[in-house]
Amino acid sequence: MAVLRLQPLLPPDCSSPKKGPTIAVSGPPGSGKTTYARRLAEDLGLEYYSAGRIFRELARERGVSLEEMNRIAANDPRIDLEIDMRTLEIGCRGNVVIEGHLVAWVLRGVADVRIYVTAPLDVRVKRIAEREGRNFEEVYRETVIREFMHQQRFLVMYGIDISNLSIFNLVLDTEYLLIDDAYSIIRRTVCNILAAKGYQLEACSRL
């Protein structure tokens, strides 16, 4: 199978003006990124999108189940490429919070704010296992493989090392933070950066 190599991944700017801010929330599985991204979108009056939602939309368009779509994607790197390109299109529209393991790197030239949430591997695996009612060891193996595949995909396809977190405005370890406390840090950071960039969101005035 031919390897797609696309570098750089994205242009520095969108082709037309955005309708509002674009916020990217990334992090490994079990970090809490979905919880914080959803809450941020609702709080700031922005649309919410996730890489998973884009994947489901693509499966629906092709008329296949998610299980079948996963099998296709495992053998065809063009599926991941399509998801990345759609992520870029959504980010370029603006007025959106986009969440996913890799979306901040996809949107690194587009997002006004890039947030990375994380926690130690064993903490994240425990969260996933409890949430899904599954065995810790099974989830551990699955998570390690999944994270390795993500890292390899971006390195091979785009020459991007996702262990380098220098693109982020905020890197937050959520291990010892309550959800509300972590969200407060994220919200304040986002609002401060957006204000510095000239965005005036009513919700941010209520800090």
Side-chain angles (χ1 to χ4, degrees), residues 20-21 44 46 95 191 193-205:
L44 301 185
L46 303 175
N95 266 340
C191 284
I193 293 174
L194 292 182
K197 291 191 172 189
Y199 290 104
Q200 297 181 350
L201 297 183
E202 182 180 351
C204 284
S205 67

Side-chain angles (χ1 to χ4, degrees), residues 97-177:
V97 177
I98 309 181
E99 164 267 313
H101 193 161
L102 304 172
V103 298
W105 285 276
V106 174
L107 297 171
R108 69 191 186 279
V110 172
D112 297 284
V113 188
R114 294 172 297 277
I115 304 294
Y116 189 86
V117 290
T118 188
L121 176 61
D122 60 328
V123 173
R124 294 187 286 104
V125 169
K126 183 179 179 181
R127 290 174 181 174
I128 297 170
E130 290 177 350
R131 182 178 66 210
E132 299 180 359
R134 298 169 59 196
N135 176 271
F136 180 92
E137 286 73 20
E138 177 187 1
V139 175
Y140 186 95
R141 289 192 299 271
E142 181 182 282
T143 302
V144 169
I145 292 171
R146 180 181 174 188
E147 292 182 19
F148 175 77
M149 290 177 64
H150 279 315
Q151 186 171 27
Q152 289 300 108
R153 177 169 83 84
F154 255 49
L155 191 60
V156 170
M157 291 179 67
Y158 304 127
I160 294 174
D161 179 6
I162 64 171
S163 67
N164 181 349
L165 304 180
S166 61
I167 69 166
F168 291 93
N169 303 107
L170 173 67
V171 177
L172 184 64
D173 186 332
T174 63
E175 179 180 9
Y176 297 112
L177 294 174

Side-chain angles (χ1 to χ4, degrees), residues 40-111:
L40 194 62
E42 182 179 358
D43 197 11
L44 301 185
L46 303 175
E47 185 178 7
Y48 166 80
Y49 248 94
S50 69
R53 176 178 170 183
I54 297 170
F55 186 85
R56 290 190 295 273
E57 289 177 351
L58 190 57
R60 186 166 58 249
E61 290 172 10
R62 288 172 170 248
V64 299
S65 67
L66 290 178
E67 182 180 358
E68 177 62 22
M69 194 66 187
N70 275 303
R71 283 197 292 267
I72 295 171
N75 297 298
D76 187 351
R78 290 173 296 183
I79 300 300
D80 284 326
L81 177 61
E82 176 67 18
I83 293 171
D84 295 340
M85 293 302 101
R86 291 192 184 200
T87 300
L88 175 59
E89 291 173 4
I90 294 165
C92 280
R93 294 203 300 259
N95 266 340
V96 66
V97 177
I98 309 181
E99 164 267 313
H101 193 161
L102 304 172
V103 298
W105 285 276
V106 174
L107 297 171
R108 69 191 186 279
V110 172

